[in-house]
Amino acid sequence: MIKPFTSWKLIGCVVGVTALTSCEKPELEGPDALQVTVSSNDEDDDDELDVDWGRVFASFTAAGGATTVNNFSSLSMIQPAPNLGGADLTAHLNGKVLFQRTFELGEVAPLWNNVRCESCHLGGSRAGLPKVNATTGELTPQLLFRVSLPGTGPHGEPRPVPGFGDQIQPLMVVEGIDAQDEVRGASAEGNVLVRYTEQRSLPFKDGSTVSLRRPTYTFAKTTQDLPAGTMISPRTGSQVTGLGLLEAVPEETILGFARNNTNNGVSGRPNRVWDEEQGRTRLGRFGWKANQPSLRQQNAGAANGDMGLTSPVFPIEPGESVASAQLNLSEQQLRDLTIFTQTMGVPAFRNNSSAQAQLGAVMFAKAECGSCHVPRMKTGTLPGRPEVSNQVIAPFTDLLLHDMGPGLADNRPDFLASGREWRTAPLWGLGLQQTVNGHTSLLHDGRARNVVEAIMWHGGEGENSRKIVTEMSKEERDALVAFLNSI
Ligand code: HEC
Ligand code: HEC
């Protein structure tokens, strides 16, 4: 049996699920660098707590390896990696122009959700602040809705809904985001309304609770009725920064994190998704359910599904059946956009000398958060992208799917991901969210208003961690939050 990875040790050397072979010595910065060697078949969980995780955190700030940036402003998530230069930097900057460009209505027509990538990924990060509709009083976060019918298509993909495809291109009330909103409604497939019901969380040890808001989504003004049995999955725009590094993590490393039930109830399994250009099934890495295999396909898919833009990967407009004569994005443009998303630098960790944040790192280990939010690993070689290759990084994800229980379930499978499974969300950049996004909403549909709420939504395989947090004192909980705000 392999023990859960709750540590900061280097895990790029993990091979398979049973053997831990050819481990390199972790290269940790600082005088307090921890000399941990990964040993196989180590079942003694207490080992992890003998390690002073506070000191390990104190000695490690380069979250993105050589791509780490020391910018902590509202633009911290949209910086080129400092090791990027020459033609690659030019391509990155060209891609950034496309990411920030407001596309013309003629280009995005006939169906789209938004006219700018950055409208759903503010400053390279996640979607903007959920807003309250002044007329109806309803909350309308910037979400998109994937839809499908039970069963799968020829490549294991969700079955599209006739008349809608696999995504609602809605008349969404996202005031203040784009000037085109009113025009946008004219061609839309429908409107989605969100209502939240407040419920108390289970109590912490000191008897206090937090209020959790449970969303209910209803469709309004749809152009036609959604067929009975239609499944919907709400998803908010997630952080783009750092994804090139995650694309460079070797497949064996990710598969090495997969396991069947451990003693803390955590398993984790890979998604397998269709690669359009390669015409084969591959490991999924991107999206809330790891439903995209590569950044190129993710970006081309976003351009097509979210913005009505055709490209060499997806030459057919949503709602149409034949390829457009002229593509909205050329091969060169899609390439630049992909290089941009691959080479944004990751902000350095902060507050490493804070005793509170260091205690929080210990609490993170104690609550076994790292069983899924794997702190450290080493990237392999991403062809053509030396900047993100061979870097020791701290993304806090295993890129695997986990059953998070009925509370978070969307009940809509996506390739191999069940209706209760989600990809472990990377946690790097968490502490800059307020600065970059102007809010602290979290989880796939933005329902959690802060990290404590996000933790309290953890069920299923995350139940054990949530329970450990409820047993913490207020001081320990605050320390955990301080740590999360430092990464
Ligand atoms: C309408 C809002 C919206 C727009 C516009 C949009 N995105 Fe996204 N983006 C999302 C959502 C929602 C997700 C998560 C998708 C999922 O889970 O299926 C996402 C995911 C991503 C991811 C993967 C993130 C991860 O953590 O794995 C990348 C990369 C990305 N988008 C790039 C882009 C690019 C490039 C554009 C412009 C061509 C764009 N997006 C336009 C909403 C949007
Ligand atoms: C069983 C695996 C697992 C464990 C253990 C776990 N998480 Fe998570 N975590 C996830 C998954 C999966 C998501 C995404 C869920 C969603 O969006 O619905 C997530 C989401 C989050 C988020 C929100 C991230 C975002 O971008 O929206 C935070 C914060 C978080 N976890 C913190 C923690 C902390 C702190 C612990 C330990 C107390 C912990 N998690 C333990 C799997 C896990």
Side-chain angles (χ1 to χ4, degrees), residues 324-345:
S324 308
Q326 209 191 334
L327 298 176
N328 297 122
L329 291 178
S330 66
E331 173 57 35
Q332 180 68 43
Q333 287 175 314
L334 179 59
R335 198 175 158 266
D336 290 348
L337 196 56
T338 300
I339 291 179
F340 167 70
T341 56
Q342 285 170 330
T343 54
M344 277 183 266

Side-chain angles (χ1 to χ4, degrees), residues 251-288:
E251 184 158 335
E252 316 81 78
T253 303
I254 298 167
L255 298 181
F257 299 144
R259 57 200 178 270
N260 295 322
N261 285 317
T262 51
N263 51 6
N264 64 356
V266 177
S267 49
R269 60 188 194 120
N271 203 350
R272 299 272 175 195
V273 306
W274 185 248
D275 187 308
E276 287 288 332
E277 287 180 303
Q278 297 187 7
R280 66 183 179 106
T281 295
R282 283 176 64 198
L283 176 70
R285 292 176 192 243
F286 302 108
W288 288 100

Side-chain angles (χ1 to χ4, degrees), residues 362-379:
V362 178
M363 291 302 120
F364 188 85
K366 190 175 172 190
E368 298 174 22
C369 310
S371 318
C372 305
H373 297 283
V374 175
R376 299 189 70 177
M377 62 197 73
K378 192 173 176 186
T379 66

Side-chain angles (χ1 to χ4, degrees), residues 126 369 372-373 404 422 442-444 455 458 461 465 469:
R126 43 184 103 219
C369 310
C372 305
H373 297 283
M404 297 301 284
W422 299 97
L442 292 165
L443 298 175
H444 65 271
I455 295 167
H458 281 54
E461 294 174 38
S465 283
V469 172

Side-chain angles (χ1 to χ4, degrees), residues 178-226:
D178 285 306
Q180 286 88 344
D181 277 346
E182 286 169 36
V183 187
R184 209 148 58 97
S187 65
E189 292 176 327
N191 194 350
V192 181
L193 306 175
V194 183
R195 272 192 201 78
Y196 291 112
T197 321
E198 298 285 341
Q199 63 182 60
R200 301 314 298 180
S201 72
L202 291 168
F204 296 109
K205 193 171 83 175
D206 58 18
S208 64
T209 56
V210 290
S211 185
L212 301 177
R213 49 177 198 174
R214 180 179 289 282
T216 324
Y217 302 103
T218 43
F219 287 96
K221 299 186 203 150
T222 45
T223 43
Q224 47 184 300
D225 287 342
L226 286 150

